Amino acid sequence: MSTEDFAKTFDPHAVEEHIYAAWEAADAFGPSGQGASYCIMIPPPNVTGSLHMGHAFQDTIMDGLIRYHRMRGDNTLWQAGSDHAGIATQMVVERQLAAEGKSRHDLGREAFVERIWDWKQHSGGTITQQLRRMGASLDWSRERFTMDAGLSDAVREVFVRLYDEGLIYRGKRLVNWDPVLHTAVSDLEVVSAEEDGHLWHIRYPLADGSGHLTVATTRPETMLGDAAVAVHPDDARYQHLIGKEPTTTWTRNSVPAA
Amino acid sequence: MDPEFGSGCVKITPAHDFNDYEIGLRHDLAMINVLTVDASIELPDTPYHGLDRYAARERIVADLEARDLVEKIDDHKLMVPRGDRSHAVVEPYLTDQWYVKIAPLAEPAIKAVADGRIRFVPENWSKTYFEWMNNIQDWCISRQIWWGHRIPAWYDEAGNVYVADDEAAVRAKYKLGEDITLRQDDDVLDTWFSSALWPFSTLGWPQATPELKTFYPTSVLVTGFDIIFFWVARMIMMGLKFMDDVPFDEVYIHGLVRDAHGNKMSKSKGNILDPLDLIDGIELEPLIKKRTTGLMQPQMAPAIEKATRKEFPDGIPAYGTDALRFTFASLATQGRDIRFDLGRIEGYRNFCNKLWNASRYVYMNAADEDCGAEGGEIDRTLAERWIDSRLQQVTAEISESIDAYRFDLAAQTVYQFVWDEYCSWYIELSKVVLYDETSSAELLRGTRQTLVRALETVLRLLHPIMPFITEELWRKVAPLAGVAGDSIIQQPYPLADDSLIDADAIAEMEWVMAVIAGVRNIRGEMNIAPSKPLPVLLQDAADRDIAYLEHNLAYLTQLARLADVTVLETGAAAPESATALVGNMKVLVPLGGLIDVAAERERLDRELDKTGKELERSQKKLANANFVDRAPAEVVEKEHARVAELETALTNLTAQRQRLKQLQPDA
């Protein structure tokens, strides 16, 4: 019996990394060029990110599908790449600058962006290494980045074409505004949670001196921007007041009750 | 508005509230912005000018109180929106932004899912998609940061806007001379803008590359339900617009990975598991350090440390990547939540070990031996015909499961086959041939060939889920199976061959397994040593049973450790025996003289007494309202489970005691 090359127990560490390296060296993950096309795009992880359980789960499923189809003889591509993750990445580098006592404004826009590219060069590959540890058979030779030259071309092309067709416009709208980062943010970047606060019941005197309306608000400071006071049209308590003008005593304008 | 809320009377502040903004638009109200970009008050003719929003709030309330304009102040819980990066309270704020007019893009995207060109898996996610798409708003795509795709728009001094690839293109496109000064827009695009183009931009668009031609539309998108709108929908809209085709044929939506108790994993809860720690292992102290460093609320650290010490007293062992992947696969049901607990990954590490040990057994028995790879006559017993038949069935089931995105079912099927059928039965059956000095060369060759071929096939079946261990084992096993190649990765996935399914062999083997399992159960119940050979009587045996018996006497004798087998004539009396039923046939193990009745009686009485007392204790606990009301639901549930368990044990013990009494009435 030949037992010398068959370890008595399974030691994952003894096999995983050298097997992955051998696959990569043999260029085993690229499409074969033969058979029906099978392609999955990896949801590009943030370049700042590290692998969490959600990624690991999702990558297991994708790699399972990719390996299955590759073995079925399909022309199989698992497209690799990462996302530039605007705010997240900017903040990582801003924090580094802060540790040096500087802000991005000290550097200026061009130098700051340069610095982010530097950071990406040296520290942006964590998650791609971790994906390798998961055994993910991504075609690394085709790895893309959402800010690389080709993808930036695609972005400009799309923007210009949509603009020329009238599908992109500029307008003044209410947005989610982050007063620390000084930028609009998407709903996905806003986390709403219940917190303790107050409900202030504030009397708005009527302009004609005939009494007041009581308004309940959680944000008294924004009364400075009030444009109106509203009651339910069927609310018997307020029928006699509809059409009158309450006023926030110190501001310029009285506001119509509607 | 809701007359029941507050005073039934609300203020309308269109520039600082999303609902009020809509009302303001409908009623043409003034949009009065009172804040700066820092959320300080910007109203130079008021005393609040320059104050932060919260300082201004205090001053305003104080001033109102001074004028007796505050009726009352109630404590109130409210939803507060915070930026996920800055943790600052986000303000609804009026600004100039860039927008995508979305309705013309949404319409074809709705249609593509409605007419089945894109299929959601599970299907019900399409409802979520339609709901969002039918209420879609124009997309704000500008961000006031520096890192990102800078918006390709330029302004002249009069504020006219020009859009093209770059400044030179703008001048050419709009015929602007060098005398006109242009300034590029400072904003960058929302990160999701470039993500929306991902399925075609990565393949080389806007160039017409061979990759685009080959791989677009892609086959499937695998993603979580939280970004169906932010990402999935936008890729569909952009793909249809610019590629004139869907970006993917299917969207597989998976659940969210939660901890063992069903809680979302988060830094603040201190319950995050790092996949690399599961692969490599981590000691308790570094794990605590990791979980308690960099908390937004450092005061949570002691509670997190305590919970971590309790849950992982010895840290986390190294499970390896394959066990982790197999766990994920087995959890990939179609549900919304994926509960991850260490018990499962430990079980699948054991599965890796089982596979390793089985392969080692096969290797030791097949390497340097004739496995039929070079040809030569072979003989196959029932066991070979059975395992080959089952392998075909299992192969078909696994492919079906993967094609339907049911990795959980694929994992379960392959696990059961490898553990219960290949290892527990086939390997044991193979020993009957391999360890028998009288086995013919043909029989040895056939057994070895089946052992290595079935194993080689199993490794290929498993490879997509457990790539590393299967590669390592395949390199050793494949040559024995006569398969050439450098790596399992390019090997063909097994295809089921229905012609190899031998229904008779399956039926016969099921009979063999049932007889052996019956005898083994009797041993267990009657506490008879596994090494003790037992005499067995078969009662009510049909012709088929007798034929099966004749074919498989060697298997039965060795695997069930039988002394001898006697077929009882119809109507013949049987001695007092323990019984197992196989179809209509009874497998009898006469117990006289086999067991030490006195010792067994003592053991059973002792067990009965102990179990009865424990049951009483648990029942008392559950009868105590104090316990039921106050203990955590989990603990109460556990107690209920314990009662059920003890009741079953008690029933079994009582039956065994009864049997003993039948055997020897004075027992």
Side-chain angles (χ1 to χ4, degrees):
Chain A
M1 285 190 214
S2 18
T3 57
E4 69 282 352
D5 60 338
F6 209 125
K8 225 174 162 143
T9 53
F10 173 50
D11 175 7
H13 285 260
V15 304
E16 289 176 3
E17 287 186 62
H18 82 79
I19 284 180
Y20 195 91
W23 284 331
E24 230 184 319
D27 204 8
F29 302 151
S32 63
Q34 275 154 16
S37 299
Y38 187 86
C39 177
I40 299 179
M41 297 283 165
I42 194 170
N46 285 355
V47 64
T48 51
S50 50
L51 196 82
H52 58 58
M53 291 293 276
H55 292 125
F57 172 81
Q58 188 177 72
D59 293 323
T60 297
I61 301 302
M62 284 187 282
D63 194 48
L65 290 167
I66 286 288
R67 286 179 185 270
Y68 171 72
H69 281 274
R70 191 185 287 125
M71 292 174 83
R72 293 277 292 254
D74 292 344
N75 189 25
T76 303
L77 169 64
W78 190 9
Q79 174 67 48
S82 54
D83 192 286
H84 68 281
I87 293 178
T89 312
Q90 176 160 328
M91 282 184 72
V92 167
V93 177
E94 280 190 287
R95 266 199 296 273
Q96 282 188 350
L97 284 178
E100 300 165 17
K102 283 188 256 178
S103 82
R104 67 185 157 108
H105 299 284
D106 296 330
L107 267 70
R109 185 165 186 154
E110 210 169 312
F112 179 70
V113 168
E114 204 49 49
R115 172 104 184 208
I116 297 183
W117 280 108
D118 266 1
W119 172 88
K120 179 194 178 270
Q121 183 80 22
H122 295 110
S123 317
T126 307
I127 201 160
T128 57
Q129 286 315 313
Q130 292 172 323
L131 279 165
R132 286 172 166 91
R133 291 298 314 281
M134 285 300 295
S137 59
L138 286 145
D139 186 352
W140 297 110
S141 72
R142 294 166 194 264
E143 188 175 356
R144 302 303 297 265
F145 179 53
T146 48
M147 285 278 283
D148 69 24
L151 269 64
S152 299
D153 276 351
V155 165
R156 274 193 300 273
E157 174 90 12
V158 164
F159 188 96
V160 173
R161 278 168 63 174
L162 290 176
Y163 180 82
D164 287 345
E165 283 185 46
L167 293 175
I168 281 183
Y169 65 92
R170 196 164 158 77
K172 201 184 233 354
R173 296 286 177 83
L174 208 56
V175 297
N176 293 311
W177 182 261
D178 189 315
V180 169
L181 301 178
H182 291 177
T183 180
V185 292
S186 71
D187 288 343
L188 198 63
E189 293 159 308
V190 176
V191 182
S192 286
E194 197 175 75
E195 295 185 16
D196 289 328
H198 296 97
L199 191 61
W200 284 270
H201 295 252
I202 296 168
R203 295 190 185 107
Y204 280 46
L206 296 170
D208 62 7
S210 64
H212 68 266
L213 268 173
T214 300
V215 167
T217 180
T218 58
R219 300 209 56 193
E221 69 280 12
T222 63
M223 347 179 15
L224 300 170
D226 285 352
V229 166
V231 296
H232 193 279
D234 300 333
D235 194 329
R237 290 174 292 177
Y238 299 119
Q239 289 301 315
H240 64 291
L241 296 178
I242 290 175
K244 294 208 173 185
E245 292 199 346
T247 167
T248 48
T249 49
W250 57 83
T251 52
R252 308 131 295 185
N253 45 340
S254 56
V255 293
Chain B
M1 61 164 300
D2 178 6
E4 302 298 313
F5 178 80
S7 60
C9 183
V10 296
K11 65 197 198 60
I12 307 295
T13 318
H16 294 287
D17 180 278
F18 284 104
N19 289 325
D20 293 1
Y21 179 73
E22 293 301 323
I23 295 170
L25 286 181
R26 276 203 302 278
H27 295 281
D28 201 21
L29 298 177
M31 303 271 170
I32 308 158
N33 176 39
V34 303
L35 295 177
T36 66
V37 292
D38 299 301
S40 301
I41 303 294
E42 185 167 41
L43 285 174
D45 53 348
T46 70
Y48 312 107
H49 182 65
L51 290 179
D52 172 77
R53 50 188 161 169
Y54 299 114
R57 174 184 294 181
E58 277 182 31
R59 282 278 296 276
I60 287 169
V61 171
D63 287 352
L64 289 168
E65 280 177 328
R67 294 173 201 212
D68 194 27
L69 292 174
V70 178
E71 194 171 293
K72 59 173 174 168
I73 306 171
D74 295 333
D75 287 339
H76 180 67
K77 285 198 187 300
L78 71 166
M79 296 302 285
V80 176
R82 290 181 182 272
D84 68 343
R85 300 283 168 189
S86 68
H87 302 283
V89 175
V90 165
E91 282 292 341
Y93 192 55
L94 264 185
T95 52
D96 284 312
Q97 302 286 349
W98 289 90
Y99 289 88
V100 174
K101 191 173 166 188
I102 213 77
L105 298 172
E107 200 189 351
I110 292 170
K111 203 155 162 275
V113 175
D115 66 17
R117 274 177 296 152
I118 297 175
R119 195 170 74 89
F120 276 86
V121 181
E123 215 291 306
N124 58 346
W125 286 112
S126 62
K127 285 202 200 90
T128 309
Y129 173 80
F130 290 133
E131 217 172 275
W132 274 329
M133 294 299 279
N134 288 323
N135 294 299
I136 198 165
Q137 306 274 320
D138 283 359
W139 173 15
C140 176
I141 50 171
S142 44
R143 296 291 183 269
Q144 290 67 51
I145 56 175
W146 285 354
W147 176 242
H149 301 102
R150 192 148 171 196
I151 291 182
W154 281 260
Y155 302 91
D156 62 17
E157 277 162 356
N160 296 310
V161 62
Y162 306 102
V163 171
D165 268 358
D166 53 33
E167 192 178 324
V170 162
R171 287 185 190 280
K173 182 172 168 185
Y174 295 96
K175 305 194 171 44
L176 305 175
E178 289 300 326
D179 54 320
I180 292 172
T181 310
L182 292 175
R183 175 181 58 81
Q184 188 173 3
D185 195 299
D186 282 328
D187 290 355
V188 301
L189 288 165
D190 178 8
T191 303
W192 293 102
F193 193 87
S194 50
S195 316
L197 318 180
W198 189 246
F200 50 93
S201 62
T202 47
L203 296 173
W205 191 90
Q207 260 72 53
T209 60
E211 283 83 357
L212 267 178
K213 202 165 176 266
T214 307
F215 295 113
Y216 193 96
T218 66
S219 309
V220 61
L221 177 77
V222 179
T223 192
F225 54 80
D226 49 337
I227 51 176
I228 290 178
F229 175 67
F230 279 88
W231 194 41
V232 180
R234 285 167 181 169
M235 282 192 285
I236 296 174
M237 291 190 278
M238 290 299 192
L240 287 166
K241 174 75 184 166
F242 291 96
M243 292 296 296
D244 203 20
D245 201 348
V246 295
F248 26 72
D249 301 326
E250 293 184 320
V251 184
Y252 171 62
I253 301 285
H254 59 71
L256 183 74
V257 181
R258 295 169 177 273
D259 73 6
H261 313 288
N263 297 314
K264 206 168 161 177
M265 292 191 191
S266 74
K267 180 83 193 164
S268 60
K269 284 199 198 107
N271 61 347
I272 286 184
L273 285 171
D274 179 337
L276 271 297
D277 291 341
L278 293 164
I279 294 172
D280 294 334
I282 185 169
E283 309 255 333
L284 178 61
E285 298 308 325
L287 177 63
I288 289 170
K289 189 153 183 249
K290 210 166 153 170
R291 286 182 161 195
T292 53
T293 308
L295 288 171
M296 286 294 295
Q297 299 163 286
Q299 69 273 20
M300 292 299 292
I304 291 172
E305 175 170 350
K306 195 169 161 224
T308 304
R309 279 189 193 282
K310 189 169 168 222
E311 193 166 2
F312 307 102
D314 305 313
I316 297 174
Y319 293 108
T321 300
D322 292 311
L324 178 62
R325 288 176 58 127
F326 200 90
T327 307
F328 283 137
S330 75
L331 291 170
T333 59
Q334 305 220 316
R336 266 181 95 103
D337 297 323
I338 298 160
R339 277 193 193 202
F340 192 94
D341 75 90
L342 289 190
R344 266 188 109 121
I345 191 171
E346 195 175 327
Y348 295 133
R349 183 181 55 178
N350 293 343
F351 180 59
C352 291
N353 292 337
K354 186 88 179 168
L355 183 67
W356 185 270
N357 295 339
S359 303
R360 193 162 186 274
Y361 162 83
V362 171
Y363 188 82
M364 308 264 276
N365 282 285
D368 308 327
E369 301 281 353
D370 180 355
C371 301
E374 316 288 320
E377 288 281 303
I378 60 157
D379 224 351
R380 284 149 46 92
T381 70
L382 169 68
E384 280 72 48
R385 286 182 286 124
W386 166 73
I387 198 76
D388 274 348
S389 301
R390 284 292 300 135
L391 187 54
Q392 305 314 311
Q393 292 177 328
V394 160
T395 297
E397 282 169 34
I398 291 171
S399 284
E400 259 171 50
S401 298
I402 296 179
D403 288 338
Y405 301 102
R406 294 301 303 266
F407 275 90
D408 57 328
L409 299 180
Q412 193 188 332
T413 304
V414 74
Y415 179 96
Q416 278 173 0
F417 179 76
V418 169
W419 195 295
D420 299 340
E421 298 183 279
Y422 186 79
C423 293
S424 298
W425 286 107
Y426 184 60
I427 283 188
E428 294 310 310
L429 293 164
S430 77
K431 290 176 182 170
V432 174
V433 171
L434 295 181
Y435 295 173
D436 180 355
E437 282 171 17
T438 67
S439 294
S440 70
E442 290 80 10
L443 199 54
L444 286 169
R445 198 181 286 130
T447 300
R448 289 195 189 105
Q449 185 183 69
T450 306
L451 272 173
V452 295
R453 282 193 183 173
L455 177 60
E456 193 270 341
T457 307
V458 160
L459 294 173
R460 283 183 286 128
L461 283 172
L462 263 170
H463 178 71
I465 304 180
M466 302 208 299
F468 292 117
I469 189 172
T470 51
E471 174 77 307
E472 181 73 7
L473 293 174
W474 187 86
R475 287 179 190 172
K476 298 181 200 299
V477 169
L480 305 180
V483 177
D486 296 328
S487 165
I488 192 172
I489 206 168
Q490 285 102 0
Q491 294 301 310
Y493 202 74
L495 278 180
D497 180 350
D498 285 350
S499 74
L500 292 179
I501 298 176
D502 181 340
D504 294 339
I506 292 173
E508 186 168 341
M509 188 64 204
E510 274 167 7
W511 183 91
V512 171
M513 293 189 292
V515 172
I516 295 170
V519 176
R520 285 178 180 169
N521 279 346
I522 291 169
R523 270 185 206 279
E525 274 180 21
M526 305 309 291
N527 207 27
I528 304 168
S531 57
K532 182 160 186 76
L534 296 178
V536 159
L537 309 174
L538 299 183
Q539 196 173 44
D540 301 333
D543 290 349
R544 200 189 69 155
D545 296 317
I546 294 167
Y548 283 174
L549 173 67
E550 280 166 6
H551 299 163
N552 299 293
L553 196 57
Y555 288 150
L556 296 180
T557 305
Q558 293 206 25
L559 269 65
R561 289 291 270 165
L562 302 185
D564 53 65
V565 184
T566 312
V567 179
L568 290 175
E569 297 292 328
T570 314
E576 205 52 60
S577 305
T579 311
L581 210 56
V582 176
N584 291 324
M585 179 181 81
K586 290 194 182 96
V587 178
L588 306 178
V589 178
L591 292 174
L594 260 184
I595 55 171
D596 180 340
V597 175
E600 181 65 5
R601 182 188 57 213
E602 226 173 87
R603 183 187 76 85
L604 284 174
D605 286 344
R606 217 169 33 238
E607 285 286 313
L608 275 165
D609 183 52
K610 193 175 125 211
T611 311
K613 275 184 185 150
E614 279 174 30
L615 179 62
E616 207 178 310
R617 212 174 306 138
S618 285
Q619 282 167 335
K620 247 188 207 156
K621 235 179 180 177
L622 285 173
N624 179 356
N626 231 349
F627 168 76
V628 177
D629 296 342
R630 290 196 191 160
E634 280 174 20
V635 175
V636 176
E637 206 175 295
K638 230 178 179 170
E639 206 58 45
H640 276 293
R642 191 165 155 70
V643 165
E645 225 170 77
L646 289 168
E647 281 171 346
T648 312
L650 206 59
T651 310
N652 288 339
L653 286 167
T654 310
Q656 285 179 48
R657 186 68 181 79
Q658 205 59 36
R659 226 170 286 148
L660 204 64
K661 201 153 183 88
Q662 276 169 13
L663 194 66
Q664 201 171 305
D666 60 342

